[in-house]
Amino acid sequence: MDCLFCKIINGDIPSKKVYEDDHVYAFHDISPMAPVHILIIPKKHIPSVMGITAEDKDLIGHLHLAIQHIAKEMNLDEEGFRVITNTGKNGQQTVFHLHYHIVGGRQLEWNM
Ligand code: 5GP
Ligand code: ZN
C-alpha cells in the first residue's frame, strides 16, 4: 500500500523511534511544533478516526495506554501535554494513516 506511515512502520522510510510494541509505533515528527512532538500510530492501516471500527476497540485503548507510557518516558506527565488527531479536510489531516500527535515541552495555546 502506498502509505507514508506504513512505510515508516516497515522501515522503508527511516524514522526516529520513540516506542514500539506489537500493535503501535511512535516516532519523532519530522517538523516539530514544540520541544516534544511525537507521532503514535497503530501498525494496522486505518485511514483516520472515521475508519475505526468496533473490532479496533482494544487497539485504540492500547494506543492510549502507550501514550501514557511515552508521556512518562518523555517527562511530559507532570506539566502536561496535548494529544491531537487531525481528521479530514477541515481538520487539516495530511497523512491518511491514523496518527495521534503528542505535543509538549512548552506552554501550549489554544487558538484555531
Ligand atoms: P497531519 O497533518 O496529517 O495531522 O500530520 C502529519 C504529520 O506527519 C505532520 O506533523 C508532519 O510533519 C509529519 N510527517 C510528514 N512526513 C513525515 C516523515 O517522513 N517523517 C516523519 N517523522 N514525520 C512526517
Ligand atoms: Zn498506512
Side-chain angles (χ1 to χ4, degrees), residues 3 6 45 97:
C3 167
C6 283
H45 180 87
H97 180 128

Side-chain angles (χ1 to χ4, degrees), residues 56-111:
D56 302 317
K57 280 194 282 188
D58 285 352
L59 171 60
I60 298 304
H62 176 84
L63 185 147
H64 278 74
L65 291 173
I67 290 173
Q68 272 185 13
H69 174 81
I70 292 164
K72 288 178 190 155
E73 290 282 306
M74 302 302 288
N75 294 313
L76 298 174
D77 52 328
E78 293 214 345
E79 296 204 305
F81 59 98
R82 192 169 288 163
V83 179
I84 302 160
T85 182
N86 297 324
T87 305
K89 180 180 79 69
N90 280 3
Q92 292 199 313
Q93 183 178 3
T94 61
V95 179
F96 287 82
H97 180 128
L98 179 64
H99 54 282
Y100 296 77
H101 300 254
I102 303 169
V103 181
R106 66 167 169 82
Q107 179 64 55
L108 301 171
E109 307 299 332
W110 187 252
N111 47 8

Side-chain angles (χ1 to χ4, degrees), residues 8 13-19 25-29 38-39:
I8 282 180
I13 293 174
S15 64
K16 287 198 219 164
K17 179 163 86 173
V18 173
Y19 174 82
Y25 185 77
F27 55 104
H28 290 283
D29 196 291
I38 292 162
L39 300 173

